[in-house]
Amino acid sequence: MAGLTSSRSAFAITAKEPSYAEAFYGTSNGLYKGHWHDGTRGSQVGDVPTIQEILAARPTIRKPIRPLIVTAKTVLADAIRDERRNNMADKVLSADVVPKKFPVEAKNMTYPTSAKKGADNPLYACSSQSIGKEVPMAHQITDRYFPSTNAFTKGFVDTRPRYTGLSTAPTHSKVHCALDEAY
């Protein structure tokens, strides 16, 4: 299976390379035997090469085997992360969270025209029509807001709430009735 071919002038390692599973999951205890890989007993070793010959025979020093890491480009996840980062406004000193930019600017706001018959007649005008008649200006719309997320309540993993009511029934003792707790 694996062997050493040696002569003082040329030395080559002929042992097979371990697979990923053998190198990563193999135990070192399974390697303890009284024999070499080629079957030779450990006490009958003849010409053993020096460490310099062994290191010179290795072609390159390989990196140690590590767990597999996904290195694929996540285009969609990166786009979502960048969009969230772009929606953040400047930090406010008095707030504990970073505010978000208000999603609409004043120049992009429009109101639909009223479809009621006679809506432009001043005789039938009411105060609710005059409130939203003009579009807001830039100074009338906020530039940031603090939306509330339900991240706190998502942390509760119970499918249904636990019973948190007050139990007023007496606790009966299994030993003696004098040990009952009536509170």
Side-chain angles (χ1 to χ4, degrees):
M1 185 153 174
L4 295 174
T5 60
S6 82
S7 66
R8 286 291 173 194
S9 61
F11 177 76
I13 297 176
T14 59
K16 75 175 189 98
E17 287 286 326
S19 69
Y20 179 81
E22 289 172 345
F24 197 70
Y25 297 109
T27 62
S28 59
N29 192 22
L31 302 175
Y32 296 138
K33 298 175 185 164
H35 303 289
W36 289 94
H37 288 290
D38 63 354
T40 309
R41 290 184 53 214
S43 60
Q44 296 177 345
V45 176
D47 189 18
V48 178
T50 63
I51 189 70
Q52 291 151 348
E53 292 174 349
I54 293 173
L55 292 177
R58 294 185 71 187
T60 57
I61 297 174
R62 295 176 51 180
K63 290 183 180 179
I65 295 176
R66 293 184 285 163
L68 295 175
I69 299 171
V70 176
T71 58
K73 290 187 178 181
T74 53
V75 178
L76 185 60
D78 292 344
I80 292 171
R81 186 185 67 236
D82 292 341
E83 183 68 27
R84 284 187 182 155
R85 192 177 298 139
N86 290 338
N87 285 341
M88 293 294 173
D90 294 333
K91 187 167 174 48
V92 178
L93 293 176
S94 61
D96 59 342
V97 294
V98 179
K100 290 188 177 183
K101 291 180 186 174
F102 199 73
V104 181
E105 294 180 7
K107 62 182 179 183
N108 298 333
M109 289 190 91
T110 58
Y111 292 137
T113 57
S114 179
K116 291 183 180 180
K117 188 175 183 181
D120 55 346
N121 189 346
L123 187 61
Y124 300 109
C126 59
S127 61
S128 64
Q129 291 174 341
S130 64
I131 291 173
K133 193 171 189 176
E134 296 178 3
V135 293
M137 297 171 71
H139 71 278
Q140 294 173 328
I141 296 179
T142 183
D143 56 342
R144 63 180 178 252
Y145 72 110
F146 296 90
S148 63
T149 62
N150 55 354
F152 178 74
T153 55
K154 282 185 180 177
F156 300 117
V157 294
D158 288 344
T159 56
R160 57 189 178 98
R162 298 180 188 151
Y163 176 72
T164 57
L166 178 64
S167 177
T168 58
T171 306
H172 297 288
S173 173
K174 296 179 182 178
V175 180
H176 194 268
C177 62
L179 299 174
D180 287 349
E181 293 179 357
Y183 49 86

